[in-house]
Amino acid sequence: MQYLDWVAIVLFLVTWIGIEPMMAIGWPRRANSLLLDMMRVRKAWMREVLTRDNNFIGDAAILGHTINSASFFGSANLIVIVGMSSALFMEPSIGVEAGIIGKFTAMGPIWLFQCKVVLVMATLLRGLSDFIWAVRQINYCLAAIGASPSREEQRDIEAWAEALTLVVNPALRSFSVGVRSYYFTVAAALWFLGPAAFIIATISCVGLLVWRQSWSDTARGVMAIRKLLDTPPTPDVVMPVPEAVEITQSETLGA
């Protein structure tokens, strides 16, 4: 393994493991962090769940769609993991004679090629774990929302909204972490092209994630929604009622 390979793998592991905790504390420190703004938006969502009259049907449909998406992505991860695992049990002579695999292994020993395969599988496994955990947590969310009191019962809206938010936020965050794992899977796969491509892909991956979390149009839109939620409501403005116009019988007949 070359010196540049070690630099590439250390950079990748530091960013891959560290980016989620850094985003959780609001890095980069800007007013518009998509992750933190969405936490505020979800709390407002849970407050609306407790006050609206549609009996949670729409909210259950939204969470059910998220469960289906997480299940789809998890199944895709599992299929790719099983497919790539065959490369780990391949005889070196077969790998060298297998065309494109032989070209990759010619760049280094067979164990280095296997390390690259393991790294791609590790990113997919982490994503699979997050998707599975997201599905389980969303099921807990559905149960918690179903157990919340009706409008006719005595309840503390703020306390219930806070409690539901503590269940919903980790569930949807796990789904987002699973989706973000695909970025690092692409970066890890480019290690097959050499350490330089691996380093460039890792830096590009982190830069793209940071931009989308803080400077993208979606981040600015969610920030605008969060500011609207934080703005105290203004009193209702009573519109003046127009004076009634008396219509005489002659006018009516004339019309």
Side-chain angles (χ1 to χ4, degrees):
M1 182 180 289
Q2 301 176 1
Y3 172 75
L4 199 57
D5 285 305
W6 286 108
V7 173
I9 190 63
V10 170
L11 175 65
F12 178 84
L13 292 176
V14 169
T15 55
W16 179 42
I17 297 173
I19 191 169
E20 294 301 335
M22 295 177 72
M23 285 185 175
I25 61 175
W27 178 86
R29 292 192 174 277
R30 284 176 52 87
N32 53 330
S33 172
L34 185 58
L35 191 148
L36 298 179
D37 289 341
M38 282 304 302
M39 293 174 65
R40 175 68 181 87
V41 171
R42 292 184 192 120
K43 183 175 181 179
W45 176 22
M46 290 299 103
R47 187 182 295 109
E48 291 297 318
V49 167
L50 295 166
T51 56
R52 65 167 60 110
D53 296 326
N54 63 359
N55 200 24
F56 315 138
I57 295 176
D59 308 293
I62 294 172
L63 292 174
H65 174 73
T66 307
I67 290 178
N68 293 334
S69 299
S71 301
F72 170 78
F73 285 123
S75 301
N77 278 27
L78 187 59
I79 292 172
V80 177
I81 290 169
V82 172
M84 294 200 66
S85 64
S86 60
L88 298 178
F89 303 98
M90 186 182 299
E91 290 292 335
S93 59
I94 298 176
V96 172
E97 296 172 359
I100 190 169
I101 295 180
K103 294 179 182 179
F104 288 140
T105 54
M107 299 170 62
I110 188 65
W111 63 265
L112 179 58
F113 170 76
Q114 292 174 338
C115 288
K116 297 174 182 179
V117 173
V118 168
L119 185 62
V120 174
M121 292 176 61
T123 58
L124 291 170
L125 279 170
R126 183 183 183 185
L128 175 63
S129 174
D130 288 320
F131 288 132
I132 292 173
W133 182 223
V135 171
R136 292 188 61 188
Q137 290 182 98
I138 293 172
N139 278 288
Y140 302 151
C141 295
L142 292 172
I145 292 174
S148 58
S150 63
R151 296 185 61 182
E152 289 75 19
E153 300 179 53
Q154 284 294 115
R155 73 267 178 80
D156 186 343
I157 295 290
E158 286 301 320
W160 269 96
E162 185 69 29
L164 291 176
T165 304
L166 291 175
V167 182
V168 170
N169 264 327
L172 298 182
R173 187 167 62 243
S174 294
F175 177 76
S176 297
V177 172
V179 172
R180 283 194 289 269
S181 68
Y182 286 117
Y183 292 82
F184 291 97
T185 300
V186 173
L190 289 180
W191 192 13
F192 289 111
L193 302 180
F198 189 20
I199 293 175
I200 294 173
T202 302
I203 296 174
S204 301
C205 167
V206 175
L208 182 60
L209 282 174
V210 171
W211 176 79
R212 288 184 172 177
Q213 289 292 123
S214 300
W215 290 281
S216 64
D217 292 339
T218 300
R220 289 196 290 266
V222 173
M223 180 186 64
I225 295 173
R226 189 259 303 164
K227 288 182 178 179
L228 291 173
L229 292 172
D230 292 339
T231 303
T234 57
D236 295 335
V237 179
V238 179
M239 298 297 293
V241 179
E243 296 181 357
V245 179
E246 183 178 358
I247 301 176
T248 63
Q249 185 177 4
S250 59
E251 292 175 340
T252 304
L253 294 174

